[in-house]
Amino acid sequence: MSLTSLPDECFTGVLFFLDNKSLYKCLFVNRYYCKLSIPLIWRDPFILPTPRQFSLINTLISCLNDDEISSLIPCAINFNNRTPLFKYGKFIRKIDHDYCVRHIISWLNSSSRRSYGRVPTDVSRYQDCRIRKLVNVIYHMIMREGSNIQEFVVIVNWNNFIDLPNFSTFSSFKPGIMNLKSLDIEAYLDLINDSTIYKNTIEFLSKVSRLCNSIINCELCFSRLDNALTNTFLDIIKLQPLERILIDTENYSVNFRPLERILNDNENHSEMENIEKILYALEFRSKTLNELSFRNMDFQIIGLSFLSKLEKLERLEFLECRGFVSKNYDTLSKKGFHLKELKLWHEEEFFYNTRVFNGFGSTLKIMEEIINSLCNESLYKLSLNIIAPETIKAVKESCPNLSFLHIKIFSEQDLDSMITLICEISSLKFLKIEIDHEYYASQLVKTLGDYLNFVEYLFLDFHIDLLSFEYFTKNCRANLKKWIIYIEGEEDLRKDYLKYVNNYQKVHNSLKILGINKGYMCEFDWTNDELEIINSLKDQSINIFPSDELDKC
């Protein structure tokens, strides 16, 4: 049966797995392929524009109706209004406002060069009229043509932010944003103090949670948190069936300051109280929230008792957070959690500071408390970058079914002990290790060669010298199924690395997927000797991929 005899829905499902480059080729096969490829290509058109990418705005402008075109006349915008082949606006499912504005500015600069040669023109002189008008009519056209927006990203920053269109543009057409699934709000300035400039954006943020009813993914990023923005976030949390939330306090004014200064500063203390309001409002999502991530948060005066209310929570991440204290876990230690994934990833600067100021021991103790409080037999995936033998012991005791472990090691201290303990985790199938310095890479790899037994997927994200690599392949008892090797900087020795992989396979006959550093796969021509070994591996049913494509396997 040919693909064209499939129902349109089935064939679209097949095309969905193609990248845009392949989809563009489908446009020229026949009209049927073209008709089904266009909606997929136009789902997310507002990506970061390239220097010569002007056709997007040209195409969108061709979709404008007479009223929308008339609104541009006062701004003297020149364009060719040819009849479009499709209603492209109808297919758009994601809008990134910042990228939309960038595309418009690039198009205006291109139009100016075409009109006036290479004489520089200052687009900013016209931004109140030309850029804002184009933003308004493009949004209006997208909503008018019946787009069903699923994802919306708005980043409010100092870099020539252009206000959103009037909220009526979003509310007057259906479905528009009524079925919005994902909302990313990034506010890196004080909206209220600049309420005239950001009037429409403020209105959008205050009303979006009441117009939509199906937002399941939300990212809330801010540098200051006034009462109005707090109320916006509270409405979203309380009114939407959120399943995933990221809260990021990037550049937040009180982050990582001493506790006494926060408590004695009324303004900053008020902002911390607003953060607490948001965190405790998460209780409204106790029946829906599955994934919760924090980034750049300071928990030194914020308790974590709210976590015990989240009955459905399965994935929890603390990314570059600080201020964890023992009292935060007193109310958690006896609560029943059902986390499947946990990530505790501190920023590297914090690691060095705790080493210098002798705070590392207390930090490790708190990491043990977190693991003991939040982890149990349900956890299968864990990522840590502050570890010690005591940490690994806590993992072994609290996570008997752990199958995925990702760690980063910053010191050779207790290295053999840590690796040996990790190798004793019989449930562990996936192991990824990063290191801060390669001078102890050899020691680490040889210890793995001596003790690794149960792991099936191994990713050592650092360079391994040839002698240590040979030692590992000769001594490793684990039957690896997936393995990423990192051989950067060893062009003359690549044949030897491949030879040792081949020797390993002859003994174990377990390897199914081999990942090799992408640089060599894409930018270097294999020699005949190397190809002979690669073909030998393929003959043994081993699939070979660039390492960054291994997730697709």
Side-chain angles (χ1 to χ4, degrees), residues 148-182:
N148 186 14
I149 302 298
Q150 302 289 297
E151 300 178 55
F152 194 85
V153 180
V154 55
I155 303 175
V156 188
N157 54 32
W158 296 105
N159 188 23
N160 297 320
F161 177 76
I162 302 299
D163 203 8
L164 291 174
N166 190 283
F167 191 72
S168 61
T169 300
F170 300 98
S171 60
S172 298
F173 302 98
K174 295 182 180 180
I177 63 169
M178 291 183 65
N179 297 322
L180 197 65
K181 299 294 184 184
S182 179

Side-chain angles (χ1 to χ4, degrees), residues 69-306:
I69 292 173
S70 297
S71 68
L72 297 177
I73 293 176
C75 295
I77 296 176
N78 298 317
F79 54 88
N80 295 319
N81 189 25
R82 64 181 185 276
T83 303
L85 297 175
F86 299 92
K87 292 186 175 182
Y88 295 98
K90 181 180 180 179
F91 304 133
I92 295 176
R93 297 292 180 267
K94 178 179 179 180
I95 296 179
D96 185 312
H97 180 68
D98 180 56
Y99 286 168
C100 174
V101 171
R102 293 192 194 192
H103 273 280
I104 290 171
I105 292 174
S106 295
W107 181 82
L108 286 171
N109 280 323
S110 171
S111 299
S112 298
R113 284 193 294 270
R114 288 195 300 269
S115 299
Y116 305 106
R118 295 195 173 272
V119 177
T121 57
D122 185 6
V123 165
S124 63
R125 287 186 298 161
Y126 303 100
Q127 69 178 12
D128 285 344
C129 175
R130 298 202 299 172
I131 300 178
R132 291 179 187 274
K133 282 289 187 180
L134 282 168
V135 166
N136 290 341
V137 297
I138 287 174
Y139 269 88
H140 191 273
M141 178 274 298
I142 292 171
M143 300 301 162
R144 172 181 55 79
E145 289 198 340
S147 177
N148 186 14
I149 302 298
Q150 302 289 297
E151 300 178 55
F152 194 85
V153 180
V154 55
I155 303 175
V156 188
N157 54 32
W158 296 105
N159 188 23
N160 297 320
F161 177 76
I162 302 299
D163 203 8
L164 291 174
N166 190 283
F167 191 72
S168 61
T169 300
F170 300 98
S171 60
S172 298
F173 302 98
K174 295 182 180 180
I177 63 169
M178 291 183 65
N179 297 322
L180 197 65
K181 299 294 184 184
S182 179
L183 178 61
D184 182 351
I185 302 171
E186 301 181 29
Y188 299 127
L189 44 79
D190 194 335
L191 293 176
I192 299 303
N193 288 341
D194 298 301
S195 57
T196 302
I197 301 175
Y198 310 111
K199 176 183 176 182
N200 294 339
T201 301
I202 294 171
E203 183 182 18
F204 177 89
L205 295 179
S206 66
K207 293 182 177 181
V208 65
S209 61
R210 302 185 185 278
L211 180 64
C212 306
N213 56 17
S214 56
I215 299 175
I216 59 174
N217 176 63
C218 189
E219 298 192 3
L220 308 174
C221 310
F222 51 88
S223 57
R224 292 193 60 86
L225 191 60
D226 55 44
N227 291 335
L229 194 57
T230 299
N231 290 333
T232 292
F233 292 165
L234 291 176
D235 285 343
I236 293 172
I237 292 171
K238 292 178 180 179
L239 298 176
Q240 300 300 315
L242 297 171
E243 297 176 7
R244 176 187 177 272
I245 301 177
L246 166 68
I247 299 176
D248 183 351
T249 62
E250 183 175 354
N251 298 321
Y252 190 61
S253 58
V254 300
N255 257 4
F256 314 145
R257 293 177 56 184
L259 180 59
E260 317 82 62
R261 292 184 61 189
I262 296 175
L263 295 176
N264 292 329
D265 188 321
N266 291 333
E267 181 181 355
N268 287 332
H269 186 58
S270 175
E271 292 181 4
M272 292 298 287
E273 288 180 342
N274 284 337
I275 292 180
E276 279 195 305
K277 290 179 183 178
I278 292 174
L279 297 184
Y280 284 95
L282 295 175
E283 182 178 350
F284 286 88
R285 301 274 57 83
S286 62
K287 301 294 185 181
T288 64
L289 193 61
N290 177 268
E291 180 179 339
L292 178 60
S293 300
F294 299 103
R295 184 182 292 139
N296 299 309
M297 287 279 287
D298 190 342
F299 286 94
Q300 58 184 319
I301 64 171
I302 299 176
L304 296 178
S305 61
F306 66 91

Side-chain angles (χ1 to χ4, degrees), residues 383-419:
S383 300
L384 300 168
N385 69 340
I386 290 191
I387 61 170
E390 294 75 17
T391 317
I392 304 302
K393 290 177 182 177
V395 170
K396 288 183 63 179
E397 294 172 3
S398 299
C399 315
N401 298 316
L402 186 71
S403 62
F404 180 111
L405 181 62
H406 175 196
I407 60 173
K408 183 167 185 177
I409 299 173
F410 286 88
S411 170
E412 76 278 15
Q413 183 176 344
D414 298 319
L415 182 61
D416 288 348
S417 176
M418 288 190 295
I419 297 302

Side-chain angles (χ1 to χ4, degrees), residues 357-378:
F357 296 107
N358 299 317
F360 193 63
S362 60
T363 301
L364 287 173
K365 182 65 176 177
I366 291 173
M367 290 300 102
E368 291 177 48
E369 293 177 0
I370 294 176
I371 291 169
N372 290 329
S373 299
L374 298 179
C375 302
N376 54 33
E377 63 277 358
S378 65

Side-chain angles (χ1 to χ4, degrees), residues 438-488:
E438 290 188 359
Y439 65 80
Y440 48 84
S442 177
Q443 177 188 352
L444 189 159
V445 171
K446 289 181 178 180
T447 305
L448 282 173
D450 290 334
Y451 295 101
L452 197 67
N453 280 300
F454 308 107
V455 169
E456 297 177 353
Y457 183 132
L458 182 63
F459 183 7
L460 302 180
D461 196 11
F462 51 87
H463 171 68
I464 304 171
D465 67 88
L466 185 62
L467 289 177
S468 300
F469 190 80
E470 179 186 11
Y471 183 92
F472 177 84
T473 57
K474 287 182 176 180
N475 292 276
C476 180
R477 295 188 297 273
N479 293 315
L480 299 177
K481 294 180 179 179
K482 297 181 182 180
W483 188 11
I484 296 177
I485 62 173
Y486 195 97
I487 55 177
E488 184 177 10

Side-chain angles (χ1 to χ4, degrees), residues 3 10-29 32-34 36-44 552:
L3 285 178
C10 295
F11 191 36
T12 299
V14 174
L15 295 175
F16 182 80
F17 290 97
L18 300 180
D19 58 21
N20 270 9
K21 183 178 180 180
S22 300
L23 285 171
Y24 275 112
K25 294 179 180 179
C26 292
L27 299 179
F28 304 100
V29 175
Y32 179 74
Y33 274 70
C34 180
L36 296 183
S37 299
I38 283 291
L40 296 175
I41 292 172
W42 278 85
R43 285 182 63 88
D44 180 15
K552 301 177 183 178

